[in-house]
Amino acid sequence: MALRQLTMAPRSRAQLAEKLAARDVPDEVASEVLDRFEDVGLVDDARYAEGFVNARQGQRGRRALALELRRKGVDDETAREAVDAVDDASEEAAARRLVQRKLAATRGLDRVVRQRRLAGALARRGFPPGLVMSVVREELAADEVDQVDEDELVDGSAHVPGTVDDTNDTDDGDRAGGTLPGAADGD
């Protein structure tokens, strides 16, 4: 039964112990089986924690990763070591990706509402408050600049060199008058 659990997905020792207890396997037998699994390398909480963090670091902050590992029965020290492998730059990049993904859904809302929703989404995923606010502010500012640029292009209020509306007064007004430069006057 424990082997079947391991073939489906990696598990911590505590998760396997919980499954064995749910099947009414005596504690002594479960302990012997799990000890043997550890001896042969089938159960390794450090390797499990490392794989768990690697798989989820793009979606969660370090705090949330550590909390999830503890819920899965990984001891504090092992969880801390696995989470410490995530550097600040990786955590910031993950936060930026999440905000960028959610920005489109908040367009059209008031800036304060957008900021609150984006910050809440990051906070619920365990990103630290200082990082949350700086990333949200920077990404909102960049999105607003992009929106202004797009709106100007759509509305026609932006001047794009080389377009039909591009008038050049150096031709003595010929373009403004409707004649083509170089056309003969009476021909």
Side-chain angles (χ1 to χ4, degrees):
M1 205 252 333
L3 276 175
R4 188 172 51 243
Q5 288 293 314
L6 288 172
T7 61
M8 289 187 283
R11 309 256 187 228
S12 70
R13 181 181 173 107
Q15 287 175 308
L16 291 173
E18 188 177 298
K19 291 288 185 183
L20 291 171
R23 295 284 187 152
D24 295 324
V25 174
D27 289 341
E28 315 81 52
V29 173
S31 181
E32 285 181 38
V33 167
L34 294 175
D35 287 344
R36 178 71 180 134
F37 280 5
E38 279 184 350
D39 291 343
V40 297
L42 291 175
V43 175
D44 183 352
D45 280 357
R47 192 175 64 217
Y48 170 77
E50 181 182 318
F52 183 88
V53 167
N54 287 337
R56 290 176 178 77
Q57 74 180 9
Q59 306 157 1
R60 304 254 187 269
R62 288 182 274 208
R63 190 179 72 217
L65 291 170
L67 182 62
E68 286 183 56
L69 284 170
R70 287 185 195 106
R71 283 186 189 145
K72 293 184 180 293
V74 176
D75 67 90
D76 289 344
E77 182 62 30
T78 304
R80 188 175 17 263
E81 287 173 11
V83 170
D84 285 346
V86 178
D87 63 353
D88 292 341
S90 296
E91 189 173 38
E92 181 178 342
R96 282 190 191 286
R97 280 191 306 274
L98 287 169
V99 167
Q100 289 166 354
R101 221 177 55 218
K102 295 200 171 280
L103 274 172
T106 64
R107 285 198 182 112
L109 298 174
D110 182 60
R111 187 185 205 311
V112 174
V113 172
R114 292 181 84 191
Q115 186 171 354
R116 185 180 66 237
R117 287 187 183 179
L118 294 168
L122 290 180
R124 284 188 298 277
R125 287 174 176 81
F127 290 97
L131 176 66
V132 166
M133 292 316 295
S134 67
V135 167
V136 167
R137 277 193 213 111
E138 290 169 13
E139 293 300 323
L140 267 178
D143 186 61
E144 289 168 353
V145 167
D146 290 345
Q147 279 302 116
V148 168
D149 291 345
E150 287 176 21
D151 290 345
E152 287 176 350
L153 288 173
V154 170
D155 294 344
S157 59
H159 174 72
V160 179
T163 60
V164 175
D165 293 339
D166 191 15
T167 57
N168 186 353
D169 291 336
T170 59
D171 288 341
D172 299 327
D174 286 340
R175 279 192 183 159
T179 61
L180 295 174
D185 283 336
D187 297 330

